[in-house]
């Protein structure tokens, strides 16, 4: 099996024009009046080649655009990639992250093995240098990622590895850049890890192999431990929801509990429960889905994997928190042993649920996991799930929905969303919606009416958290049907890893 591309990110103290690299990436604003310091330096040595591209109108500095200029022997690098940053006043840290991603993506496409980034210098006065280091590293990992483990042909259009260097001549800036870079590398690698596990198909990742992966992660990560409940242990505990969903498949369900305890005095620190839906394949079950694009439902485990990768990042960052990573994992298939529409299931909490549609399986596994988190006395619970097609209809592919019973938690998540570039939009999950999931013959039913499916889904989950501060992230559509873009390859984007890790970092810093 081919190895996922190996990416290394570091800083380098060097004058830009002397920097030897296969390619240097420099940023350019669409409304720039002339060249900035970095480009001017290069332009001079390149006999005006940069000003020429701009003068001719071949490159306008728009976001997601770039122009390639070849070196002439008078600069250290072989090529210069001008990366569009869009309008100066609209630029955010995410602009820098995306520019780094575009540059890294281009380098991999061109089979280059090294690239130097000089993207942060344009923003030095506007954003904290440490933050700039972090987003450059995150972007470099995001853009260079490829999923080609199963490609056996030699020519898969990329080099084996990529080395990314952030170029800075000023020693004081370099040290701040390095601090940010260290965090960015951990987060970037965790996101790539999430993408690989999520992209693996359902004949490779099933609940058992996912549990084995979680165990492996815990055994190789300091401070992380892992417990897995098999179907017998789940039956003893009365986890009827996850058992019902997993009952149709020969691949039995698993309940994965990762735990991270943050160093000394951990007992006094807040306990956060992250809960992620890991349906390793969602055929819909007896309420089977249409054939078209059903293959995408291997990505129905994305929420659980975001939790897995966030636990990895949190432990490597040594955050001062207690964190549970709770991942209910099951495969939703139709068979003679499947759960059926009409069944009444007793969940871990004791609440009964009338199944009206076996394709609304996410909430059936999450309700047991949420109740488990409550029983562990988590101060805050955040669940993340590709829960509803309705969310995709409501918000499209650009942001995930956040529903919560706690405004402060909602605000903290919005802050993390802005910082991480993984966007959230608030949606309701109040009593009107909860009314729709009441059953006449059980406590609850697993679907509401025709409209507002993302909200009734969230309202169902809310019934299992009691008074605990809780938020639900519906990420349907964030990982599914992803096509290649200027900044990244297709398939899973590992959505949620940057968002959740940023949230945890902020909480650990008491923000
Ligand atoms: N995994 C799906 C949700 C989904 C759909 C995610 C499309 C991404 C893209 C979920 O389990 C599901 O099938 N939900 C149903 C719920 C319905 C039966 C109430 C849906 O959205 O149709
Ligand atoms: Zn489903
Ligand atoms: Zn599903």
């Amino acid at each position: 099996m081919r190895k996922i591309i190996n990416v290394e990110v570091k800083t380098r103290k060097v004058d830009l024009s002397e920097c030897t690299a296969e390619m240097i990436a420099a940023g350019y604003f669409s409304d720039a009046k002339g060249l900035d310091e970095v480009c001017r330096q290069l332009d001079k040595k390149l006999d005006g080649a940069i000003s020429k591209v701009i003068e001719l109108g071949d490159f306008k500095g728009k976001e997601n655009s770039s122009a390639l200029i070849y070196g002439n022997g008078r600069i250290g690098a072989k090529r210069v990639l001008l990366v569009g940053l869009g309008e100066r006043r609209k630029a955010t840290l995410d602009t820098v992250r995306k520019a780094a991603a575009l540059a890294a993506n281009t380098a991999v496409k061109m089979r280059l093995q090294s690239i130097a980034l000089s993207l942060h210098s344009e923003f030095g006065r506007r954003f904290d240098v440490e933050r700039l280091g972090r987003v450059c590293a995150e972007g470099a990992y995001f853009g260079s990622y490829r999923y080609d483990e199963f490609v056996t042909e030699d020519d898969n259009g990329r080099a084996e590895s990529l080395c990314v260097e952030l170029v800075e001549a000023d020693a004081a800036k370099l040290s701040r850049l390095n601090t940010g870079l260290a965090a960015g590398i951990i987060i970037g690698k965790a996101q790539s890890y999430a993408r690989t596990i999520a992209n693996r198909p359902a004949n490779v990742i099933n609940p058992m192999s996912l549990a084995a992966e979680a165990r492996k992660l815990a055994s190789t990560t300091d401070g992380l431990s892992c417990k897995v409940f098999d179907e017998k242990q789940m039956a003893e505990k009365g986890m009827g929801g996850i058992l019902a969903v997993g009952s149709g498949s020969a691949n039995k369900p698993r309940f994965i509990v990762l735990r991270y305890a943050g160093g000394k005095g951990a007992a006094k620190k807040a306990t956060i429960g992250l809960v992620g839906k890991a349906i390793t394949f969602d055929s819909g079950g007896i309420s089977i889905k249409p054939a078209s694009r059903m293959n995408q439902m291997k990505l129905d485990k994305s929420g659980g994997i975001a939790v897995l990768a966030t636990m990895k990042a949190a432990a490597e960052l040594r955050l001062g928190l207690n964190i549970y990573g709770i991942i209910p994992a099951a495969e939703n298939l139709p068979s003679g042993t499947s759960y059926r529409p009409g069944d009444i299931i007793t969940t871990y909490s004791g609440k009964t649920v009338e199944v009206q549609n076996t394709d609304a399986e996410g909430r059936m596994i999450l309700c047991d996991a949420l109740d488990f988190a409550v029983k562990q006395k988590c101060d805050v619970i955040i669940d993340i799930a590709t829960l509803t097609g309705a969310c995709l209809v409501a918000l499209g592919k650009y942001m995930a929905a956040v529903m919560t019973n706690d405004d402060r938690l909602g605000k903290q998540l919005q802050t993390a969303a802005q910082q991480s570039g993984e966007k959230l939009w608030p949606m309701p999950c109040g009593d009107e919606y909860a009314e729709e999931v009441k059953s006449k013959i059980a406590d609850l039913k697993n679907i509401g009416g025709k409209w507002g499916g993302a909200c009734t889904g969230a309202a169902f989950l809310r019934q299992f958290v009691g008074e605990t501060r809780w938020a639900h992230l519906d990420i349907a559509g964030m990982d599914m049907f992803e096509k290649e873009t200027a900044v990244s390859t297709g398939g899973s984007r590992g959505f949620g890893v940057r968002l959740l890790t940023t949230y945890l970092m902020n909480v650990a810093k008491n923000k």
Side-chain angles (χ1 to χ4, degrees):
M1 220 155 87
R2 187 184 291 272
K3 277 226 163 80
I4 295 294
I5 185 166
N6 179 35
V7 181
E8 200 188 346
V9 186
K10 48 192 181 190
T11 54
R12 184 161 162 206
K13 187 173 179 313
V14 66
D15 237 35
L16 197 62
S17 53
E18 276 150 36
C19 171
T20 50
E22 294 196 78
M23 183 156 80
I24 294 181
Y28 185 81
F29 288 110
S30 60
D31 52 356
K33 310 238 174 343
L35 300 179
D36 80 318
E37 190 53 38
V38 166
C39 287
R40 202 170 329 133
Q41 239 188 71
L42 293 168
D43 193 46
K44 228 164 140 189
K45 299 212 169 175
L46 289 169
D47 304 317
I50 297 181
S51 1
K52 189 94 216 189
V53 183
I54 292 161
E55 247 170 64
L56 290 174
D58 293 357
F59 173 69
K60 296 195 171 67
K62 287 196 178 142
E63 253 192 299
N64 294 328
S65 77
S66 61
L68 186 63
I69 292 160
Y70 287 91
N72 57 357
R74 290 178 57 209
I75 63 167
K78 291 189 192 135
R79 307 167 182 85
V80 173
L81 184 75
L82 292 178
V83 183
L85 301 173
E87 283 175 56
R88 184 181 286 271
R89 63 180 178 85
K90 282 194 189 159
T92 63
L93 278 166
D94 201 41
T95 311
V96 190
R97 189 187 283 112
K98 283 193 182 129
L102 185 146
N105 186 20
T106 308
V108 174
K109 262 191 223 158
M110 292 172 68
R111 299 163 165 277
L112 306 185
Q113 293 191 9
S114 73
I115 178 170
L117 301 184
S118 175
L119 297 163
H120 64 281
S121 47
E122 288 265 331
F123 297 90
R125 281 172 297 275
R126 192 141 140 207
F127 302 119
D128 176 41
V129 178
E130 193 180 313
R131 287 264 170 190
L132 284 165
R134 178 165 149 196
V135 296
C136 282
E138 289 172 357
Y141 279 99
F142 195 69
S144 58
Y145 180 78
R146 294 293 184 275
Y147 183 71
D148 51 13
E149 286 185 299
F150 290 97
V151 177
T152 63
E153 285 163 14
D154 274 347
D155 184 4
N156 70 336
R158 68 162 170 92
E160 292 300 303
S161 61
L162 179 72
C163 175
V164 182
E165 290 177 327
L166 310 196
V167 181
E168 177 58 63
D170 176 343
K173 273 194 189 163
L174 198 70
S175 102
R176 302 215 15 107
L177 213 52
N178 267 322
T179 314
L181 195 78
I185 290 173
I186 290 175
I187 299 168
K189 280 190 176 167
Q191 187 156 32
S192 294
Y193 169 72
R195 295 174 83 173
T196 297
I197 308 292
N199 279 326
R200 284 186 182 153
N203 61 333
V204 176
I205 295 288
N206 56 44
M208 270 173 294
S209 60
L210 183 60
E213 181 60 43
R215 278 210 180 97
K216 188 170 110 196
L217 179 71
S219 71
T220 52
T221 310
D222 269 357
L224 208 58
S225 64
C226 177
K227 252 196 207 148
V228 177
F229 303 136
D230 64 17
E231 64 274 22
K232 286 185 209 94
Q233 291 161 312
M234 284 188 264
E236 275 162 26
K237 289 192 180 321
M239 295 180 157
I242 177 166
L243 283 170
V245 174
S247 64
S249 173
N251 296 314
K252 295 297 169 212
R254 291 290 180 268
F255 194 87
I256 304 164
V257 184
L258 288 152
R259 178 126 206 235
Y260 167 73
K264 270 192 217 147
K268 285 192 208 128
K269 292 168 185 160
T271 301
I272 295 179
L274 302 178
V275 175
K277 167 179 173 181
I279 293 293
T280 55
F281 186 69
D282 183 12
S283 70
I286 299 290
S287 317
I288 198 161
K289 287 180 182 295
S292 95
R293 304 207 284 187
M294 197 200 271
N295 61 317
Q296 288 278 338
M297 289 298 148
K298 70 169 185 176
L299 288 167
D300 211 18
K301 57 187 182 298
S302 295
I305 286 165
V307 169
L308 182 70
T310 301
M311 294 304 287
K312 170 176 152 74
E316 289 175 2
L317 290 164
R318 306 193 162 279
L319 299 183
L321 293 169
N322 294 309
I323 314 168
Y324 279 98
I326 303 163
I327 308 170
E331 186 172 41
N332 190 20
L333 290 184
S335 80
T337 55
S338 295
Y339 80 135
R340 318 155 191 78
D343 285 2
I344 295 176
I345 307 295
T346 302
T347 63
Y348 188 32
S349 65
K351 286 193 203 311
T352 53
V353 180
E354 179 196 354
V355 177
Q356 289 200 337
N357 189 319
T358 62
D359 197 11
E361 84 298 335
R363 60 201 76 179
M364 298 299 296
I365 67 169
L366 286 172
C367 63
D368 285 352
L370 289 170
D371 189 55
F372 182 86
V374 171
K375 289 185 171 127
Q376 307 313 303
K377 300 199 166 41
C378 291
D379 301 302
V380 173
I381 302 174
I382 300 171
D383 78 71
I384 176 161
T386 46
L387 201 73
T388 65
C391 187
L392 193 58
V393 173
L395 297 179
K397 307 198 50 62
Y398 309 107
M399 44 195 90
V402 54
M403 292 82 159
T404 180
N405 61 6
D406 185 272
D407 286 346
R408 191 162 71 91
L409 178 59
K411 282 200 185 107
Q412 288 173 320
L413 284 166
Q414 281 295 358
T415 303
Q418 254 161 28
Q419 291 169 340
S420 66
E422 295 189 325
K423 293 183 191 165
L424 294 176
W425 197 259
M427 302 243 276
C429 65
D431 293 345
E432 305 91 325
Y433 299 98
E435 210 46 51
E436 287 199 26
V437 290
K438 281 190 180 154
S439 164
K440 289 211 162 60
I441 56 171
D443 301 331
L444 295 162
K445 56 183 178 167
N446 79 333
I447 57 171
K450 189 170 178 185
W451 312 111
C455 306
T456 49
F460 178 94
L461 298 179
R462 191 162 65 87
Q463 308 310 307
F464 295 87
V465 294
E467 296 303 307
T468 310
R469 296 174 64 205
W470 157 82
H472 159 65
L473 309 177
D474 193 334
I475 60 164
M478 301 315 293
D479 257 8
M480 291 191 195
F481 317 122
E482 277 315 311
K483 295 205 181 76
E484 188 181 343
T485 66
V487 294
S488 184
T489 185
S492 166
R493 289 195 285 204
F495 185 93
V497 179
R498 292 203 311 260
L499 171 70
L500 291 174
T501 308
T502 304
Y503 164 78
L504 294 173
M505 287 169 87
N506 290 347
V507 175
K509 279 196 214 141
N510 280 324
K511 272 193 195 155

